[in-house]
Amino acid sequence: MKPWLYRSSAILLSGSLLIPVPASHANAIQASQSVSSQGNPVALAAAKDVKLSKDAALAIAKRMVPGNDMELKSVSFRSADTWRSFPEWSFSWEKKVPDKNEVQVYFSVSVHANSGELTSYSHHDQNSSKLPYANRVSYEDARKAAEQFLKSNNPGKAAKTTPDMDTIPPKTPLHADSIYIFRFSRVEDGIRFPDNNVEISVNGAGKIINYSLMWNEEIQFDRPSKTISAEDAKEIMREKTPPSLSYLIPWDAQGDQRNKPVLAYTNPFSILIDAKNGDVLDGLLAPIDGVNEPIPVSSKRLPARHTGKNLTQEEAVKIASQLFPLAGFELRSAQYSESDYRGNRPVWDLSYEKKDSDDYDYAHLSIDASTGDIYNFSKKQIKQLEKDTASSKRTAEEYREKAMETIRKWSPTLAHELYWNEHSETKAKLGSTEEYLVTFQRYVNGIKAASGSSAVSFDPTTGEILYYNADIGKETYPAQIPDHLSAEEASEAWWKEAEIEPVFMLEQLTPEDQKKIRQQPAFIPSRSAKLVYRANSTVFDEPYFLDAVSGEWRSQASGKPVVLHRIDPVDLDGHPAAKELLLMYEYDALSLEDGKLLPDKTITRGEMIEMLMISINRGRYFPIYSSEREASFSDVSKQSRYFSAVENAVDSGLLDKQSSKLNPDEAITREELADMIVRALGYKNLAQYSNMFQSDLTDIANSPKRGSIIIATTLGIVPTDKQAFRPQATVSRADAAIAFSRFLEKRSEQDTQPSVPR
């Protein structure tokens, strides 16, 4: 896909002609279209006040485009506006494949219309995907390329930025078409201002493919003459944000794993400290008076509206007419589900229609057939609510109490598990209307649940409920809270992984400025940045949490234990396969023993299967299988480290279930290694025709893996000892790592002919 680059409020030009493009349509314009028209006074006026003419800006942009065979396809001018504070000229070029309507090379370049600085750059070359895996650049080389690009093409900004340190080098890519992304934050008075930055993307060939400048020279920085120390800020943060327990479900959990919430202490560093006076601020720089304890909608369990047999349709309709203002509405449809998605509950969904009305034309509600609880209620409104209406006379407390009263009335059996907390109240813009929204979250035994919530939105002028939803989730929880780390122990663990940093942060727009922006898209408000302290936790390649029961750090995606500080093996110095071994260690396919990786130790079937499956899944871990999944091998149970990898290998055709046991902890043989690699390359069917292949190997005639052995050795992945292959010999970790690295190289050659981009 071509990386077309468009911006709102741009004016597209062809040649030297200026043609106005409505802002609402700017993003839909195809850069490959040729546009021709007479000059337009409005567009000319938009560009007349900048210092650089179109031709002067084009001369600067053309320096970024090598060769003379690129065709200029579009020119656009964009004046400064709310979201991008500088005017900008943008140009795009392309070169098509000869005799085909297919873009081979594409460039887009934008320059500051006053200073001539490079503001945006994009480059796509379809040949870049043909890079051999062995020729990909390292993360460090890509970083150097990004830094050099910035210094060469925008030295002014290079001198005012520093590389972001809140990201870590990604794992070594397992595919050639990898992309590295680097961000350089603005620095003022030696302090980072991350809201202004330069972002640069580098592909596997070491070529810059994207560059973007986000910068506002007009920002006023609040530089207090005296500030509190970082240590004082840390103590305030410790006191104000002790870690709190919550249940969570790993994102990738499947099947019944989604029914097993984990008791956790998640990252507690959500507040900021004003560097001037030590005030506690939220993420929007608004003062926080204190941490409000969650308030239950009901202090006790309320009786159900209905008991006994499940509601009939007539009974459900009767409840609806009693609870909701449905006068004049006619029942349009009624649908019953025995196991609705809301916790597998029996639910009636009722839809109503009101004809010949200019007010509301339909309503919908969902009722639990077992308890009579309301799960959902909404009306479609034809007349949009007024934007910028006068502020409601109701207070936040009045909205909150009315929402709680509504939940107790409409969903009584859920009320005792739904809580209001400090994040529950917001004046939210929903669609094209302004509504006041109050939300609630589910708590179990005083602990925030993994899912479950309720939302009530109000018309700010009439107080009418426009939307209601209640859902407490499917998962189940223990009757009692399990033994777990104390908040003090969790705090110590998190603070060992945190550092205090002073940063400038952009202050929020005032309500008056927000109103002007809605009314005047070109309005540019004055902006200021405040100096604050924040806590940065140890960076890792995925989000993580502290298991409150085991005390382990675990991945929020997979739920598996993670090591935040990887130990370097002590026995690889000078080893010829050190690079290859470290790759497998990096992906946790190999484990240390007493700090050693033991290159000469034999590799097991489980270890090799795990690494190949990680590679097939593009560096991600394999699926998490539910309890319904029966083990394919009797010795790889659901509790085994290798269960998911082995089952994924079976599903992918890497393994056949030819025996009841796999013996994952036994050493893999050379013929098994060859067969796995050939299958991972997609040559399983070809390998079955082993009689088609001739070979000088003298000891593979009776091997059931003869075809795979010949393919793997011919490709140079698995080496031979002259004319002997030794099919039953075991494989050392070093030899397996080398074979795996060669497998990655050969896989990159499968679909394309390798060519190193210029």
Side-chain angles (χ1 to χ4, degrees), residues 190-396:
I191 296 171
R192 288 202 308 138
F193 177 43
D195 288 311
N196 277 190
N197 58 73
V198 178
E199 189 169 282
I200 300 176
S201 300
V202 185
N203 67 9
K207 302 296 181 183
I208 308 300
I209 57 173
N210 280 296
Y211 162 97
S212 178
L213 174 70
M214 183 61 65
W215 206 280
N216 185 346
E217 296 285 5
E218 305 304 319
I219 288 178
Q220 299 297 314
F221 290 90
D222 178 16
R223 298 175 171 89
S225 58
K226 187 176 181 180
T227 64
I228 66 171
S229 68
E231 201 57 41
D232 288 340
K234 180 177 180 179
E235 289 307 310
I236 296 172
M237 198 172 292
R238 267 182 179 269
E239 178 187 351
K240 299 297 184 181
T241 57
S244 59
L245 284 169
S246 64
Y247 286 102
L248 60 81
I249 298 172
W251 303 331
D252 295 339
Q254 302 292 327
D256 72 328
Q257 294 297 318
R258 300 204 62 80
N259 193 39
K260 298 178 180 179
V262 181
L263 189 61
Y265 285 106
T266 55
N267 192 323
F269 308 123
S270 59
I271 66 170
L272 305 168
I273 305 299
D274 191 322
K276 182 178 182 179
N277 51 30
D279 286 350
V280 180
L281 310 173
D282 64 16
L284 299 178
L285 301 183
I288 300 176
D289 295 331
V291 178
N292 296 314
E293 289 296 321
I295 302 173
V297 172
S298 175
S299 59
K300 61 182 180 180
R301 186 187 295 268
L302 300 179
R305 178 179 296 105
H306 172 79
T307 58
K309 293 182 179 180
N310 289 348
L311 292 168
T312 64
Q313 177 177 322
E314 291 74 18
E315 291 171 327
V317 170
K318 183 178 179 180
I319 289 176
S321 63
Q322 292 172 342
L323 291 177
F324 301 101
L326 295 173
F329 282 83
E330 297 178 0
L331 183 66
R332 183 174 60 182
S333 67
Q335 181 177 347
Y336 177 74
S337 174
E338 187 67 39
S339 55
D340 185 79
Y341 68 89
R342 303 172 185 87
N344 294 319
R345 305 288 298 175
V347 172
W348 280 105
D349 285 298
L350 307 178
S351 293
Y352 292 81
E353 185 174 16
K354 188 175 185 180
K355 298 180 179 179
D356 305 322
S357 171
D358 60 356
D359 187 9
Y360 296 102
D361 66 349
Y362 76 75
H364 174 84
L365 61 104
S366 300
I367 304 178
D368 188 307
S370 175
T371 64
D373 282 339
I374 303 301
Y375 287 136
N376 179 272
F377 170 73
S378 62
K379 283 183 177 180
K380 180 186 177 184
Q381 105 192 36
I382 293 178
K383 290 185 177 180
Q384 293 184 353
L385 298 179
E386 292 290 332
K387 295 181 180 178
D388 309 318
T389 55
S391 299
S392 171
K393 295 180 180 179
R394 296 171 184 82
T395 66

Side-chain angles (χ1 to χ4, degrees), residues 452-470:
S453 63
S454 181
V456 188
S457 72
F458 298 91
D459 182 323
T461 56
T462 67
E464 179 185 5
I465 294 175
L466 301 173
Y467 173 80
Y468 175 86
N469 185 72

